[in-house]
Amino acid sequence: MSNDDGVAQRPEDEPGTGVVAAFGKQLKLLRVRAGLDRAEFGKRVGYAAESIASIEQGRRIPQPRLVERADEVLEAGGVLVALKEVLARAQYPAFFRDMARLESEAVELCAYDTHMVKGLLQTEEYTRAVLAMRRPLLDEATIELRVAARLARQEIFNRWPAPLLSFVMEESVLRRPLGGRSVLRGQLEQILLMGQKRNVEIQVMPLDREDNAGVDGPFTIITRQGGDQFVYAEVQGRSHLETGRDETHRACARYGIIRSQALPPRESLGFVETLLGEL
C-alpha cells in the first residue's frame, strides 16, 4: 500500500486504522460516558458536530489543541493527551515524519527550491491546489488532512526564541501560476508578508543568472540546538536525510554560494512586488 506521495505506508499510518482509529473510539466512549452528544461536545471544544464525527470514526486526525481540550472537557485524566504526539506524527506522510520533527526543533533552517514555493511559505489555497494536481489523484479527505498538516508546520514562525529562516527560490517558482492567477497573487502576498519578519530572509534566483550552484536540485538544511545539522532532499515521493558531517558541510557551503548568486533579500522582495503588480 502507498501513501499520497507514492511511498510505502504501514496500515497504522492511515486515517481509519491504528492509533487514529483507536483515539476516535476512545474519544467516543469518553463522550458518551460524559452524557454529551456530538453537538454539545463540539460546542465545548470549538468544533462542529460533523468534525467530531469524522474524528470518532477515524477519518480525521485531531489537532493537538483539540486533544488537550477534549481531555479537559471529558475529564480523561491525561488518557487522550498521552496520544497527542503520536497523532501529530500521523498527520504527515511516513517518509516526512522525521523531517517534521527536526523542523520543529530547528534553530536555523535554510531551504533552496526550484519547482514550487516551500511548504512553510505556502498559503492554504496554494497548498490545496498543489495537492489536487498529484497523480494518482488524492481523495478529498487526504487533501484536507495534508493541507492541515502543512499549515500546522507554519507554527515555526511563531516560536520563541525565533529560529533563523532563510529561503532561496528560483524566479520560475514565482511565475508559475499553480492553481490560477488569484492563487498565485495570494501566494506572492504571503511571501512579502513573511519576508518582513526579522528572522526570515527570502531571496530570488533570477532566470538570467549564468552561474547557479543549485543545479543539483532543491534541498533543506536543518540546524538544531548544539550545532547538529541535517540535509533533507525530496523528489518523486522519495526522501533522503543526510547526517554525515562531510555532506552537511558541503551542503552548507553550496547554500552559501547559492545565496551569493541570488538577489539580496531587499531586492528580492522588490522583485516579488513587481511580479505582483503584473498580475
Side-chain angles (χ1 to χ4, degrees), residues 236-258:
Q236 293 297 317
R238 298 292 187 271
S239 65
H240 177 69
L241 190 62
E242 180 61 57
T243 60
R245 179 171 297 181
D246 289 345
E247 181 57 34
T248 56
H249 284 182
R250 281 194 292 267
C252 288
R254 186 162 61 250
Y255 190 77
I257 296 172
I258 291 171

Side-chain angles (χ1 to χ4, degrees), residues 79-93:
V79 170
L80 298 179
V81 170
L83 295 172
K84 183 173 68 171
E85 185 174 339
V86 180
L87 287 167
R89 285 175 58 81
Q91 68 185 316
Y92 301 111

Side-chain angles (χ1 to χ4, degrees), residues 113-139:
D113 287 284
T114 62
H115 190 63
M116 68 179 67
V117 174
K118 187 72 174 176
L120 287 176
L121 294 172
Q122 290 179 9
T123 64
E124 180 176 343
E125 293 76 18
Y126 187 97
T127 297
R128 186 172 285 106
V130 168
L131 291 173
M133 295 174 195
R134 292 287 176 85
R135 297 296 186 274
L137 294 172
L138 308 181
D139 61 71

